[in-house]
Amino acid sequence: MAKLRVAVLISGGGSNLQALLDMCTAEGSPAEIVRVISNVPDAYGLERAKEAGVSTTVINHKDYDGRESFEEALHQVLDSERVQLVCLAGFMRLLTDTFVQKWKDRLINIHPALLPSFKGLHTHERAIEEGVKFHGATVHFVRPAMDEGPIIVQACVPVLPNDTPEELGKRVLAQEHKIYPLALKLIAERKVRVSGEKVVYNGVDNLMNSAINPEG
Ligand code: GRF
């Protein structure tokens, strides 16, 4: 089967991008990252892509009048690469409903919380503030409403007494680096489908173990 052609959109450090690059450059990977696009010209993630030999494009939102023209530029690049799946990895721009609808079920995001809890920003601070005992990360298909959409994979971590947002964030990020490549692999292997706004797996055994167990 041909490799799934993937674009990754970033705005920052790109540690999740790195996890996806590592998965895609491993032998026998079912997916290939064909382009990394950043809206921030000096995002460190661009260096990671170059290091991995992946083409990069900067589309600086400040150079555009509005979201529509910014997304038009985005589309041109995605179309030129015949991209089949777009991964948002720390991409800090809201996308229009039109863009999201056009890429329905072909656009995924990682969010640093157990959705549907803690949508939006500052998730680790808010988890500590609420006193939840478990927190985590979610990879999901994107829908027009922010941080909503069918859940593909989640991983949870304990919230420990006296955790700071930074410590908790590190624990969550380590799990993000496991579940984002896992979700991409499942999609690329055609093992994921959306039915009634829920993700259904085909031919997947022991997924929760592989996602949650750090040794798994
Ligand atoms: C991650 O926590 C991700 O969940 C969130 O933004 C952060 C990006 O980190 N959407 P990085 O750029 O992948 O290191």
Side-chain angles (χ1 to χ4, degrees):
M1 199 187 287
K3 289 185 186 225
L4 188 75
R5 296 177 65 81
V6 177
V8 185
L9 271 51
I10 61 165
S11 301
S15 69
N16 277 294
L17 165 66
Q18 187 68 56
L20 297 177
L21 286 167
D22 292 346
M23 193 280 270
C24 288
T25 50
E27 211 181 311
S29 164
E32 179 186 7
I33 298 176
V34 294
R35 188 76 69 110
V36 170
I37 302 172
S38 172
N39 67 309
V40 176
D42 61 354
Y44 180 65
L46 291 167
E47 301 305 316
R48 297 180 188 268
K50 285 174 197 154
E51 186 69 25
V54 173
S55 311
T56 61
T57 302
V58 172
I59 304 177
N60 188 342
H61 59 278
K62 292 181 182 161
D63 295 341
Y64 295 85
D65 288 341
R67 285 189 203 280
E68 283 75 13
S69 53
F70 169 71
E71 289 178 1
E72 184 52 40
L74 208 51
H75 268 307
Q76 275 176 18
V77 177
L78 297 174
D79 287 348
S80 74
E81 287 284 11
R82 291 174 289 113
V83 166
Q84 296 170 291
L85 181 80
V86 177
C87 298
L88 306 179
F91 181 68
M92 300 304 284
R93 300 296 298 168
L94 286 178
L95 295 164
T96 64
D97 291 5
T98 310
F99 186 95
V100 171
Q101 287 299 354
K102 177 161 179 181
W103 287 89
K104 189 169 185 213
D105 298 342
R106 298 181 300 145
L107 175 63
I108 65 175
N109 179 45
I110 187 154
H111 181 71
L114 289 172
L115 291 174
S117 293
F118 305 120
K119 295 171 182 172
L121 296 173
H122 310 299
T123 56
H124 312 313
E125 286 89 332
R126 288 158 57 209
I128 292 170
E129 180 71 19
E130 290 290 341
V132 297
K133 304 303 176 221
F134 287 94
H135 184 42
T138 304
V139 183
H140 65 99
F141 287 105
V142 175
R143 292 292 182 262
M146 190 180 62
D147 298 328
E148 272 188 19
I151 291 169
I152 306 165
V153 190
Q154 292 183 300
C156 62
V157 301
V159 181
L160 302 178
N162 306 320
D163 253 347
T164 63
E166 291 70 32
E167 284 163 347
L168 181 56
K170 274 189 205 159
R171 202 172 304 126
V172 170
L173 195 61
Q175 292 303 314
E176 293 183 36
H177 298 161
K178 290 178 193 291
I179 63 171
Y180 213 176
L182 173 63
L184 175 55
K185 188 163 177 281
L186 291 172
I187 293 169
E189 291 173 344
R190 297 0 184 223
K191 288 180 175 169
V192 161
R193 103 190 129 77
V194 179
S195 170
E197 285 302 272
K198 290 192 178 70
V199 163
V200 181
Y201 302 132
N202 306 309
V204 181
D205 297 323
N206 248 349
L207 175 70
M208 296 320 288
N209 274 348
S210 57
I212 288 176
N213 177 358
E215 308 305 322

